Amino acid sequence: MGLVVQKYGGSSVADAEGIKRVAKRIVEAKKNGNQVVVVVSAMGDTTDELIDLAEQVSPMPAGREFDMLLTAGERISMALLAMAIKNLGHEAQSFTGSQAGVITDSVHNKARIIDVTPGRIRTALDEGNIAIVAGFQGVSADKKDITTLGRGGSDTTAVALAAALDAEVCEIYTDVDGVFTADPRVVKKAKKIDWISFEDMLELASSGSKVLLHRCVEYARRYNIPIHVRSSFSGLQGTWVSSEPIGDKKVEQAIISGVAHDTSEAKVTVVGVPDKPGEAAVIFRAIADAEINIDMVVQNVSAASTGLTDISFTLPKTEGRKAIDALEKAKVGIGFDSLRYDDQIGKISLVGAGMKTNPGVTAAFFEALSDAGVNIELISTSEIRISVVTRADDVPDAVRAVHSAFGLDSDSDEAVVYGGTGR
Amino acid sequence: MGLVVQKYGGSSVADAEGIKRVAKRIVEAKKNGNQVVVVVSAMGDTTDELIDLAEQVSPMPAGREFDMLLTAGERISMALLAMAIKNLGHEAQSFTGSQAGVITDSVHNKARIIDVTPGRIRTALDEGNIAIVAGFQGVSADKKDITTLGRGGSDTTAVALAAALDAEVCEIYTDVDGVFTADPRVVKKAKKIDWISFEDMLELASSGSKVLLHRCVEYARRYNIPIHVRSSFSGLQGTWVSSEPIGDKKVEQAIISGVAHDTSEAKVTVVGVPDKPGEAAVIFRAIADAEINIDMVVQNVSAASTGLTDISFTLPKTEGRKAIDALEKAKVGIGFDSLRYDDQIGKISLVGAGMKTNPGVTAAFFEALSDAGVNIELISTSEIRISVVTRADDVPDAVRAVHSAFGLDSDSDEAVVYGGTGR
């Protein structure tokens, strides 16, 4: 008998009908001979409504009490889901993050899982129950306070439980059919990806693909838990994310997995920085001390005449104000001329393990952008990814041009799948 | 420094404004030099909305998962209340029933508190926090499952915590000014009672007064915790419930504390029961086995000619169907002629410790009913209470007549307060 962890997002359990539909699907998995653990998010807009209430009573709700509040959302959905399953004649028990043994650090609102001790889940399964677990939440190791895992936390709960229970697969049910070669809202010809490696999925996730978050994929890779991303509304196979193609699937690794884009970032340019050792360190220490995560960093070649250079970096728009403040405060220590802030940028990324051994990829990428008339402002590369920053307005055209150039369009005769290259 | 437990019901925290108003009142108590523990119910209609959701996914939601669902309500209100208090510049931490050490038995949906171990509350108070505790909920001793305490459970949580923490007083905040000599909706001249003994309050509670539930008063009496019932909307003194009048209050015990009424009961009459030993036992064993609580029981004098008698009892209307079914099933064993079911009855009760030593009370009570033209169907008495069953339609007139006859009307010159009679 296999053990399956299924995770259902808020849109899948948005109302009583959704909960009943999901309950049927869960019972199917049980009838197929599996032990089933289900991780569930809060229903539809519940979390937003709770946040709205919190803002009405306090202008800056945060910390311990905010976590206590938000975790009510999953408590509601998981209890209802257990009831709906029992109504179908199967035994089910729901468990809070704390009851399920999801132990975290004490960083409220974005806690990290440090251990999973699923003794009660194991017992419930052995007694024939379907176990329903609240996503997104845990309990802190030191103070025994309720914590939440931050954005996308339910996916992480699911993968962490799958790892702790040695599950065969972690199924992430969502409102799309899987991971696509590009955002289907931008690229109509985007194709569903049948299988993608952890590494390529990590790059897509950190380049703007919203289906799975980086943290969840990273966790799955570390414990080698295959993820199956699929729709809770259809019965279709979705996208498998794993180290190697699963079972009898003879899926070959494509050169290019997909094109991701991101328009949630802004660009900060520090102008007129003395070109001497240690300057970048001072700048990025100021940013790090303000707890701001940055993405791309580019330093221009310094002008020989002045001995000054410019350093640009990108970061989430929401962190823009904080970054500018931090740099202004550190201005004397750094000694730059001025700051420029630009939130009208977009990032386009091409991801694929195959590009390591296909030297023409970079050139083809830039040619596609050039043909589409897109100007490139910054470039950043990893072994299996090329990213460029452009004007935000250029992003849709750029994504379509690149998607098409690499033969990813669904009706294209040029779609080429190469064999894996030694990975 | 004193320790005060305050309890706020759902109507006091119905929305963000209510929560902010309550937060101010709590902070006042803290500023007055008290350690403050607050027990809070779910906001306004939250519980009803959750029950409605449950019924949408399952026709008979109950048990463990229903408790898991309902306890989300207090989680929301207590977290918001803690945030609102922090926003006023005071430290507050919220605790679930489990975290607060409210240990119960395993009877889901109507668990009983078997122990309170408020170690975390004590620590939070010692660190200068206001402690906010979820009412109505606990954790079962054996399985560590979340339980709820049933109707009025938050009041019981408050009194139980007050006892465990050796509080000076348990303040029950509600949407009325206190306990009245009769239901003010029926008797316009009803007066607020300044002080009432535990015993009289217990009789009022079991006779239909809704302000405090029997279980909560019983708990307070057992641990001798003074209760102060008052409005969260006004700053007025409410009603003190305690063994003796508190502090410098020279309140004297009235002969009569108040008149309570109840139209939620029905009457079952078992007609033609053989008048021999053991018959009543068989009838009430059948009722008890169906887990039905009954209230008044009356057996008529048997007719000498037939050797048969009638036995009547009252019970909640909601249990009527179950009682009839149970008796029909036991008919052969009991050997009665027929059953009569009447749900158009009402009960009027006169409560007061003074009646023990004032023999005229019973007579005056029946005279008042007679003068009002009210026919009496059943009579039941205790040492400090007389109850009669009448037609439901007669209840308002009967209550007003009795209230007036005993000088309880607020503008009456005849209002007489006697000294305590040795209690």
Side-chain angles (χ1 to χ4, degrees), chain A residues 16 20 56 59 64-66 68 71 75 79 82-83 87 93-94 99 120 143-145, chain B residues 16 20 56 59 64-66 68 71 75 79 82-83 87 93-94 99 120 143-145:
Chain A
K20 287 195 269 189
Q56 286 179 51
R64 182 183 185 283
E65 302 307 321
F66 199 54
M68 187 68 94
T71 51
R75 177 169 283 234
M83 288 178 199
N87 196 41
Q93 287 194 332
S94 65
Q99 290 176 335
R120 290 190 67 174
K143 293 188 182 167
K144 310 293 175 214
D145 279 334
Chain B
K20 287 194 269 189
Q56 286 180 49
R64 182 184 186 281
E65 302 307 321
F66 199 53
M68 186 68 95
T71 51
R75 177 170 283 236
M83 288 178 200
N87 195 41
Q93 287 193 333
S94 66
Q99 290 177 336
R120 290 189 68 174
K143 294 188 179 166
K144 310 293 173 212
D145 279 335

mmCIF file of all heavy atoms in Angstrom, chain A residues 16 20 56 59 64-66 68 71 75 79 82-83 87 93-94 99 120 143-145, chain B residues 16 20 56 59 64-66 68 71 75 79 82-83 87 93-94 99 120 143-145:
data_model
loop_
_atom_site.group_PDB
_atom_site.id
_atom_site.type_symbol
_atom_site.label_atom_id
_atom_site.label_comp_id
_atom_site.label_asym_id
_atom_site.label_seq_id
_atom_site.Cartn_x
_atom_site.Cartn_y
_atom_site.Cartn_z
ATOM 1 N N ALA A 16 -18.620 25.240 -0.191
ATOM 2 C CA ALA A 16 -19.056 23.898 0.213
ATOM 3 C C ALA A 16 -19.005 22.934 -0.982
ATOM 4 O O ALA A 16 -18.616 21.768 -0.838
ATOM 5 C CB ALA A 16 -20.461 23.950 0.804
ATOM 6 N N LYS A 20 -16.842 19.442 -1.237
ATOM 7 C CA LYS A 20 -17.427 18.128 -1.524
ATOM 8 C C LYS A 20 -16.760 17.469 -2.743
ATOM 9 O O LYS A 20 -16.546 16.259 -2.771
ATOM 10 C CB LYS A 20 -18.940 18.269 -1.726
ATOM 11 C CG LYS A 20 -19.670 18.536 -0.409
ATOM 12 C CD LYS A 20 -21.163 18.317 -0.513
ATOM 13 C CE LYS A 20 -21.863 19.600 -0.904
ATOM 14 N NZ LYS A 20 -23.333 19.489 -0.802
ATOM 15 N N GLN A 56 -8.399 46.458 10.480
ATOM 16 C CA GLN A 56 -9.407 47.343 11.077
ATOM 17 C C GLN A 56 -9.160 47.585 12.566
ATOM 18 O O GLN A 56 -9.531 48.623 13.093
ATOM 19 C CB GLN A 56 -10.807 46.742 10.905
ATOM 20 C CG GLN A 56 -11.357 46.840 9.495
ATOM 21 C CD GLN A 56 -12.735 46.205 9.411
ATOM 22 O OE1 GLN A 56 -13.621 46.503 10.192
ATOM 23 N NE2 GLN A 56 -12.911 45.302 8.463
ATOM 24 N N PRO A 59 -3.313 49.136 12.934
ATOM 25 C CA PRO A 59 -2.727 49.523 11.646
ATOM 26 C C PRO A 59 -1.554 48.642 11.216
ATOM 27 O O PRO A 59 -1.304 48.478 10.051
ATOM 28 C CB PRO A 59 -2.273 50.964 11.882
ATOM 29 C CG PRO A 59 -2.168 51.104 13.361
ATOM 30 C CD PRO A 59 -3.142 50.148 13.964
ATOM 31 N N ARG A 64 3.049 37.249 16.543
ATOM 32 C CA ARG A 64 2.396 36.110 17.153
ATOM 33 C C ARG A 64 0.884 36.119 16.959
ATOM 34 O O ARG A 64 0.281 35.121 16.585
ATOM 35 C CB ARG A 64 2.733 36.127 18.649
ATOM 36 C CG ARG A 64 2.166 34.968 19.442
ATOM 37 C CD ARG A 64 2.509 35.129 20.923
ATOM 38 N NE ARG A 64 2.082 33.973 21.691
ATOM 39 C CZ ARG A 64 0.826 33.722 22.068
ATOM 40 N NH1 ARG A 64 -0.132 34.549 21.733
ATOM 41 N NH2 ARG A 64 0.530 32.630 22.750
ATOM 42 N N GLU A 65 0.238 37.255 17.227
ATOM 43 C CA GLU A 65 -1.225 37.290 17.177
ATOM 44 C C GLU A 65 -1.740 37.189 15.746
ATOM 45 O O GLU A 65 -2.819 36.653 15.497
ATOM 46 C CB GLU A 65 -1.748 38.554 17.856
ATOM 47 C CG GLU A 65 -1.316 38.692 19.304
ATOM 48 C CD GLU A 65 -1.660 37.453 20.120
ATOM 49 O OE1 GLU A 65 -2.735 36.870 19.918
ATOM 50 O OE2 GLU A 65 -0.822 37.054 20.972
ATOM 51 N N PHE A 66 -0.980 37.726 14.798
ATOM 52 C CA PHE A 66 -1.374 37.635 13.397
ATOM 53 C C PHE A 66 -1.375 36.171 12.959
ATOM 54 O O PHE A 66 -2.280 35.724 12.246
ATOM 55 C CB PHE A 66 -0.391 38.451 12.557
ATOM 56 C CG PHE A 66 -0.910 38.825 11.198
ATOM 57 C CD1 PHE A 66 -2.122 39.482 11.058
ATOM 58 C CD2 PHE A 66 -0.182 38.538 10.053
ATOM 59 C CE1 PHE A 66 -2.597 39.840 9.807
ATOM 60 C CE2 PHE A 66 -0.646 38.891 8.806
ATOM 61 C CZ PHE A 66 -1.856 39.536 8.680
ATOM 62 N N MET A 68 -1.836 33.617 14.991
ATOM 63 C CA MET A 68 -2.972 32.998 15.686
ATOM 64 C C MET A 68 -4.252 33.227 14.873
ATOM 65 O O MET A 68 -5.077 32.328 14.705
ATOM 66 C CB MET A 68 -3.093 33.608 17.077
ATOM 67 C CG MET A 68 -4.121 32.953 17.960
ATOM 68 S SD MET A 68 -3.684 31.263 18.439
ATOM 69 C CE MET A 68 -2.886 31.544 20.025
ATOM 70 N N THR A 71 -4.276 31.316 11.210
ATOM 71 C CA THR A 71 -4.395 29.860 11.255
ATOM 72 C C THR A 71 -5.833 29.388 11.481
ATOM 73 O O THR A 71 -6.117 28.207 11.348
ATOM 74 C CB THR A 71 -3.484 29.271 12.348
ATOM 75 O OG1 THR A 71 -3.728 29.961 13.574
ATOM 76 C CG2 THR A 71 -2.020 29.416 11.967
ATOM 77 N N ARG A 75 -8.107 25.863 9.891
ATOM 78 C CA ARG A 75 -8.876 25.078 10.855
ATOM 79 C C ARG A 75 -10.296 24.866 10.327
ATOM 80 O O ARG A 75 -10.878 23.791 10.458
ATOM 81 C CB ARG A 75 -8.888 25.834 12.186
ATOM 82 C CG ARG A 75 -9.703 25.195 13.260
ATOM 83 C CD ARG A 75 -9.426 25.878 14.586
ATOM 84 N NE ARG A 75 -8.149 25.429 15.102
ATOM 85 C CZ ARG A 75 -7.986 24.903 16.317
ATOM 86 N NH1 ARG A 75 -9.008 24.788 17.136
ATOM 87 N NH2 ARG A 75 -6.818 24.495 16.713
ATOM 88 N N ALA A 79 -11.575 21.047 8.937
ATOM 89 C CA ALA A 79 -12.668 20.390 9.656
ATOM 90 C C ALA A 79 -13.819 20.090 8.697
ATOM 91 O O ALA A 79 -14.406 18.997 8.724
ATOM 92 C CB ALA A 79 -13.136 21.270 10.809
ATOM 93 N N ALA A 82 -12.889 17.136 6.494
ATOM 94 C CA ALA A 82 -13.015 15.860 7.222
ATOM 95 C C ALA A 82 -14.485 15.445 7.327
ATOM 96 O O ALA A 82 -14.831 14.277 7.123
ATOM 97 C CB ALA A 82 -12.380 15.979 8.609
ATOM 98 N N MET A 83 -15.357 16.418 7.602
ATOM 99 C CA MET A 83 -16.796 16.105 7.689
ATOM 100 C C MET A 83 -17.326 15.597 6.348
ATOM 101 O O MET A 83 -18.114 14.638 6.300
ATOM 102 C CB MET A 83 -17.592 17.369 8.050
ATOM 103 C CG MET A 83 -17.422 17.843 9.458
ATOM 104 S SD MET A 83 -18.393 19.376 9.673
ATOM 105 C CE MET A 83 -17.602 20.025 11.130
ATOM 106 N N ASN A 87 -18.930 11.986 5.533
ATOM 107 C CA ASN A 87 -20.256 11.901 4.932
ATOM 108 C C ASN A 87 -20.276 10.954 3.728
ATOM 109 O O ASN A 87 -21.326 10.463 3.325
ATOM 110 C CB ASN A 87 -20.726 13.299 4.531
ATOM 111 C CG ASN A 87 -22.208 13.337 4.260
ATOM 112 O OD1 ASN A 87 -22.991 12.727 4.987
ATOM 113 N ND2 ASN A 87 -22.592 14.035 3.202
ATOM 114 N N GLN A 93 -9.760 12.344 10.003
ATOM 115 C CA GLN A 93 -9.484 13.186 11.165
ATOM 116 C C GLN A 93 -8.646 14.362 10.723
ATOM 117 O O GLN A 93 -7.736 14.213 9.906
ATOM 118 C CB GLN A 93 -8.713 12.399 12.233
ATOM 119 C CG GLN A 93 -9.570 11.374 12.958
ATOM 120 C CD GLN A 93 -8.894 10.866 14.216
ATOM 121 O OE1 GLN A 93 -7.674 10.844 14.306
ATOM 122 N NE2 GLN A 93 -9.689 10.444 15.186
ATOM 123 N N SER A 94 -8.957 15.527 11.259
ATOM 124 C CA SER A 94 -8.169 16.703 10.901
ATOM 125 C C SER A 94 -7.173 17.026 12.013
ATOM 126 O O SER A 94 -7.411 16.729 13.182
ATOM 127 C CB SER A 94 -9.079 17.902 10.648
ATOM 128 O OG SER A 94 -9.746 18.291 11.827
ATOM 129 N N GLN A 99 -0.580 19.710 15.907
ATOM 130 C CA GLN A 99 -0.934 18.308 16.145
ATOM 131 C C GLN A 99 -0.234 17.373 15.160
ATOM 132 O O GLN A 99 0.050 16.225 15.484
ATOM 133 C CB GLN A 99 -2.450 18.125 16.031
ATOM 134 C CG GLN A 99 -3.251 18.764 17.170
ATOM 135 C CD GLN A 99 -4.747 18.649 16.974
ATOM 136 O OE1 GLN A 99 -5.221 18.517 15.846
ATOM 137 N NE2 GLN A 99 -5.497 18.704 18.048
ATOM 138 N N ARG A 120 1.119 11.451 15.350
ATOM 139 C CA ARG A 120 -0.347 11.347 15.384
ATOM 140 C C ARG A 120 -0.903 11.054 13.988
ATOM 141 O O ARG A 120 -1.937 10.374 13.862
ATOM 142 C CB ARG A 120 -0.969 12.653 15.916
ATOM 143 C CG ARG A 120 -0.690 12.863 17.393
ATOM 144 C CD ARG A 120 -1.503 14.016 17.951
ATOM 145 N NE ARG A 120 -2.924 13.742 17.967
ATOM 146 C CZ ARG A 120 -3.841 14.541 18.521
ATOM 147 N NH1 ARG A 120 -3.461 15.670 19.092
ATOM 148 N NH2 ARG A 120 -5.115 14.225 18.493
ATOM 149 N N LYS A 143 8.928 28.235 22.135
ATOM 150 C CA LYS A 143 7.840 28.795 22.954
ATOM 151 C C LYS A 143 6.510 28.069 22.793
ATOM 152 O O LYS A 143 5.529 28.429 23.435
ATOM 153 C CB LYS A 143 7.639 30.261 22.589
ATOM 154 C CG LYS A 143 8.814 31.153 22.970
ATOM 155 C CD LYS A 143 8.423 32.607 22.734
ATOM 156 C CE LYS A 143 9.554 33.551 23.055
ATOM 157 N NZ LYS A 143 9.268 34.907 22.542
ATOM 158 N N LYS A 144 6.455 27.102 21.905
ATOM 159 C CA LYS A 144 5.190 26.394 21.639
ATOM 160 C C LYS A 144 4.095 27.366 21.166
ATOM 161 O O LYS A 144 2.917 27.179 21.471
ATOM 162 C CB LYS A 144 4.684 25.627 22.884
ATOM 163 C CG LYS A 144 5.719 24.745 23.540
ATOM 164 C CD LYS A 144 6.127 23.600 22.674
ATOM 165 C CE LYS A 144 7.257 22.774 23.301
ATOM 166 N NZ LYS A 144 8.167 22.249 22.275
ATOM 167 N N ASP A 145 4.502 28.411 20.463
ATOM 168 C CA ASP A 145 3.531 29.341 19.901
ATOM 169 C C ASP A 145 3.168 28.910 18.480
ATOM 170 O O ASP A 145 3.962 28.260 17.793
ATOM 171 C CB ASP A 145 4.115 30.765 19.856
ATOM 172 C CG ASP A 145 4.021 31.457 21.205
ATOM 173 O OD1 ASP A 145 3.119 31.087 21.983
ATOM 174 O OD2 ASP A 145 4.838 32.351 21.472
ATOM 175 N N ALA B 16 -15.192 44.992 14.298
ATOM 176 C CA ALA B 16 -13.919 45.634 14.657
ATOM 177 C C ALA B 16 -14.138 46.745 15.683
ATOM 178 O O ALA B 16 -13.347 46.906 16.622
ATOM 179 C CB ALA B 16 -13.237 46.184 13.406
ATOM 180 N N LYS B 20 -12.462 47.014 19.436
ATOM 181 C CA LYS B 20 -11.674 48.153 19.902
ATOM 182 C C LYS B 20 -12.253 48.734 21.194
ATOM 183 O O LYS B 20 -11.514 49.151 22.085
ATOM 184 C CB LYS B 20 -11.595 49.221 18.800
ATOM 185 C CG LYS B 20 -10.663 48.788 17.653
ATOM 186 C CD LYS B 20 -10.304 49.936 16.752
ATOM 187 C CE LYS B 20 -11.268 50.064 15.603
ATOM 188 N NZ LYS B 20 -10.839 51.041 14.590
ATOM 189 N N GLN B 56 -23.784 22.396 5.128
ATOM 190 C CA GLN B 56 -23.712 22.326 3.670
ATOM 191 C C GLN B 56 -22.864 21.146 3.188
ATOM 192 O O GLN B 56 -23.097 20.618 2.105
ATOM 193 C CB GLN B 56 -23.139 23.623 3.089
ATOM 194 C CG GLN B 56 -24.107 24.794 3.129
ATOM 195 C CD GLN B 56 -23.465 26.032 2.534
ATOM 196 O OE1 GLN B 56 -22.887 26.012 1.452
ATOM 197 N NE2 GLN B 56 -23.539 27.125 3.260
ATOM 198 N N PRO B 59 -24.887 16.375 6.301
ATOM 199 C CA PRO B 59 -26.191 16.582 6.938
ATOM 200 C C PRO B 59 -26.166 16.440 8.453
ATOM 201 O O PRO B 59 -26.969 17.033 9.131
ATOM 202 C CB PRO B 59 -27.071 15.501 6.309
ATOM 203 C CG PRO B 59 -26.133 14.492 5.772
ATOM 204 C CD PRO B 59 -24.860 15.192 5.436
ATOM 205 N N ARG B 64 -15.768 15.206 16.812
ATOM 206 C CA ARG B 64 -14.435 15.781 16.817
ATOM 207 C C ARG B 64 -14.258 16.899 15.795
ATOM 208 O O ARG B 64 -13.738 17.963 16.105
ATOM 209 C CB ARG B 64 -13.434 14.654 16.531
ATOM 210 C CG ARG B 64 -11.987 15.068 16.554
ATOM 211 C CD ARG B 64 -11.096 13.890 16.161
ATOM 212 N NE ARG B 64 -9.686 14.216 16.303
ATOM 213 C CZ ARG B 64 -8.994 14.923 15.418
ATOM 214 N NH1 ARG B 64 -9.582 15.410 14.343
ATOM 215 N NH2 ARG B 64 -7.707 15.179 15.619
ATOM 216 N N GLU B 65 -14.685 16.669 14.548
ATOM 217 C CA GLU B 65 -14.427 17.649 13.500
ATOM 218 C C GLU B 65 -15.272 18.905 13.678
ATOM 219 O O GLU B 65 -14.862 20.006 13.310
ATOM 220 C CB GLU B 65 -14.660 17.032 12.121
ATOM 221 C CG GLU B 65 -13.804 15.811 11.843
ATOM 222 C CD GLU B 65 -12.325 16.077 12.069
ATOM 223 O OE1 GLU B 65 -11.868 17.178 11.722
ATOM 224 O OE2 GLU B 65 -11.638 15.181 12.608
ATOM 225 N N PHE B 66 -16.469 18.727 14.224
ATOM 226 C CA PHE B 66 -17.339 19.876 14.482
ATOM 227 C C PHE B 66 -16.684 20.792 15.523
ATOM 228 O O PHE B 66 -16.704 22.018 15.388
ATOM 229 C CB PHE B 66 -18.687 19.359 14.983
ATOM 230 C CG PHE B 66 -19.804 20.353 14.854
ATOM 231 C CD1 PHE B 66 -20.082 20.962 13.640
ATOM 232 C CD2 PHE B 66 -20.580 20.683 15.954
ATOM 233 C CE1 PHE B 66 -21.120 21.878 13.526
ATOM 234 C CE2 PHE B 66 -21.626 21.587 15.846
ATOM 235 C CZ PHE B 66 -21.892 22.188 14.634
ATOM 236 N N MET B 68 -13.436 20.994 16.027
ATOM 237 C CA MET B 68 -12.287 21.599 15.361
ATOM 238 C C MET B 68 -12.742 22.834 14.578
ATOM 239 O O MET B 68 -12.104 23.877 14.588
ATOM 240 C CB MET B 68 -11.658 20.571 14.414
ATOM 241 C CG MET B 68 -10.380 21.011 13.770
ATOM 242 S SD MET B 68 -9.005 21.171 14.949
ATOM 243 C CE MET B 68 -8.227 19.556 14.779
ATOM 244 N N THR B 71 -14.093 25.919 16.987
ATOM 245 C CA THR B 71 -13.068 26.611 17.764
ATOM 246 C C THR B 71 -12.281 27.623 16.930
ATOM 247 O O THR B 71 -11.523 28.419 17.486
ATOM 248 C CB THR B 71 -12.086 25.605 18.397
ATOM 249 O OG1 THR B 71 -11.621 24.715 17.385
ATOM 250 C CG2 THR B 71 -12.777 24.791 19.482
ATOM 251 N N ARG B 75 -10.621 31.662 17.990
ATOM 252 C CA ARG B 75 -9.252 31.932 17.570
ATOM 253 C C ARG B 75 -9.172 33.287 16.858
ATOM 254 O O ARG B 75 -8.239 34.068 17.051
ATOM 255 C CB ARG B 75 -8.793 30.804 16.649
ATOM 256 C CG ARG B 75 -7.415 30.976 16.073
ATOM 257 C CD ARG B 75 -6.985 29.706 15.396
ATOM 258 N NE ARG B 75 -6.592 28.729 16.394
ATOM 259 C CZ ARG B 75 -5.403 28.130 16.421
ATOM 260 N NH1 ARG B 75 -4.526 28.355 15.481
ATOM 261 N NH2 ARG B 75 -5.109 27.272 17.365
ATOM 262 N N ALA B 79 -7.373 36.655 18.740
ATOM 263 C CA ALA B 79 -6.187 37.228 18.101
ATOM 264 C C ALA B 79 -6.429 38.708 17.786
ATOM 265 O O ALA B 79 -5.559 39.563 18.007
ATOM 266 C CB ALA B 79 -5.848 36.459 16.825
ATOM 267 N N ALA B 82 -6.237 40.741 20.981
ATOM 268 C CA ALA B 82 -4.849 40.932 21.410
ATOM 269 C C ALA B 82 -4.181 42.020 20.575
ATOM 270 O O ALA B 82 -3.460 42.880 21.086
ATOM 271 C CB ALA B 82 -4.076 39.619 21.306
ATOM 272 N N MET B 83 -4.434 42.002 19.250
ATOM 273 C CA MET B 83 -3.865 43.043 18.378
ATOM 274 C C MET B 83 -4.367 44.432 18.775
ATOM 275 O O MET B 83 -3.606 45.396 18.806
ATOM 276 C CB MET B 83 -4.286 42.795 16.934
ATOM 277 C CG MET B 83 -3.610 41.623 16.284
ATOM 278 S SD MET B 83 -4.281 41.464 14.597
ATOM 279 C CE MET B 83 -3.847 39.771 14.258
ATOM 280 N N ASN B 87 -2.224 47.588 20.106
ATOM 281 C CA ASN B 87 -2.300 48.863 19.409
ATOM 282 C C ASN B 87 -2.533 50.021 20.380
ATOM 283 O O ASN B 87 -2.266 51.172 20.059
ATOM 284 C CB ASN B 87 -3.431 48.806 18.370
ATOM 285 C CG ASN B 87 -3.332 49.928 17.374
ATOM 286 O OD1 ASN B 87 -2.242 50.274 16.928
ATOM 287 N ND2 ASN B 87 -4.467 50.514 17.033
ATOM 288 N N GLN B 93 -1.208 38.656 24.924
ATOM 289 C CA GLN B 93 -0.979 37.398 24.208
ATOM 290 C C GLN B 93 -2.259 36.585 24.257
ATOM 291 O O GLN B 93 -2.931 36.544 25.285
ATOM 292 C CB GLN B 93 0.149 36.590 24.856
ATOM 293 C CG GLN B 93 1.527 37.177 24.610
ATOM 294 C CD GLN B 93 2.630 36.205 24.971
ATOM 295 O OE1 GLN B 93 2.459 35.348 25.818
ATOM 296 N NE2 GLN B 93 3.767 36.322 24.297
ATOM 297 N N SER B 94 -2.589 35.952 23.134
ATOM 298 C CA SER B 94 -3.791 35.129 23.115
ATOM 299 C C SER B 94 -3.416 33.657 23.261
ATOM 300 O O SER B 94 -2.333 33.236 22.843
ATOM 301 C CB SER B 94 -4.577 35.358 21.822
ATOM 302 O OG SER B 94 -3.864 34.911 20.701
ATOM 303 N N GLN B 99 -3.810 25.738 25.038
ATOM 304 C CA GLN B 99 -2.634 26.447 25.548
ATOM 305 C C GLN B 99 -2.871 26.993 26.952
ATOM 306 O O GLN B 99 -1.944 27.108 27.749
ATOM 307 C CB GLN B 99 -2.271 27.599 24.607
ATOM 308 C CG GLN B 99 -1.719 27.148 23.257
ATOM 309 C CD GLN B 99 -1.448 28.315 22.315
ATOM 310 O OE1 GLN B 99 -2.042 29.393 22.447
ATOM 311 N NE2 GLN B 99 -0.568 28.126 21.352
ATOM 312 N N ARG B 120 0.900 28.595 31.423
ATOM 313 C CA ARG B 120 1.301 29.597 30.418
ATOM 314 C C ARG B 120 0.632 30.940 30.686
ATOM 315 O O ARG B 120 1.204 31.993 30.398
ATOM 316 C CB ARG B 120 0.950 29.106 29.013
ATOM 317 C CG ARG B 120 1.822 27.938 28.563
ATOM 318 C CD ARG B 120 1.620 27.615 27.098
ATOM 319 N NE ARG B 120 2.122 28.688 26.233
ATOM 320 C CZ ARG B 120 2.167 28.598 24.905
ATOM 321 N NH1 ARG B 120 1.748 27.518 24.304
ATOM 322 N NH2 ARG B 120 2.629 29.591 24.191
ATOM 323 N N LYS B 143 -7.033 11.894 24.536
ATOM 324 C CA LYS B 143 -6.590 11.878 23.140
ATOM 325 C C LYS B 143 -5.930 13.167 22.673
ATOM 326 O O LYS B 143 -5.504 13.265 21.532
ATOM 327 C CB LYS B 143 -7.784 11.587 22.231
ATOM 328 C CG LYS B 143 -8.371 10.199 22.409
ATOM 329 C CD LYS B 143 -9.406 9.957 21.327
ATOM 330 C CE LYS B 143 -10.025 8.568 21.441
ATOM 331 N NZ LYS B 143 -11.240 8.472 20.622
ATOM 332 N N LYS B 144 -5.932 14.186 23.527
ATOM 333 C CA LYS B 144 -5.381 15.492 23.138
ATOM 334 C C LYS B 144 -6.124 16.067 21.932
ATOM 335 O O LYS B 144 -5.539 16.740 21.079
ATOM 336 C CB LYS B 144 -3.881 15.412 22.807
ATOM 337 C CG LYS B 144 -3.024 14.705 23.847
ATOM 338 C CD LYS B 144 -2.963 15.475 25.147
ATOM 339 C CE LYS B 144 -2.235 14.674 26.231
ATOM 340 N NZ LYS B 144 -2.776 14.961 27.560
ATOM 341 N N ASP B 145 -7.420 15.775 21.847
ATOM 342 C CA ASP B 145 -8.235 16.352 20.779
ATOM 343 C C ASP B 145 -8.886 17.641 21.271
ATOM 344 O O ASP B 145 -9.121 17.815 22.462
ATOM 345 C CB ASP B 145 -9.329 15.357 20.351
ATOM 346 C CG ASP B 145 -8.803 14.314 19.393
ATOM 347 O OD1 ASP B 145 -7.793 14.599 18.696
ATOM 348 O OD2 ASP B 145 -9.378 13.210 19.339
#
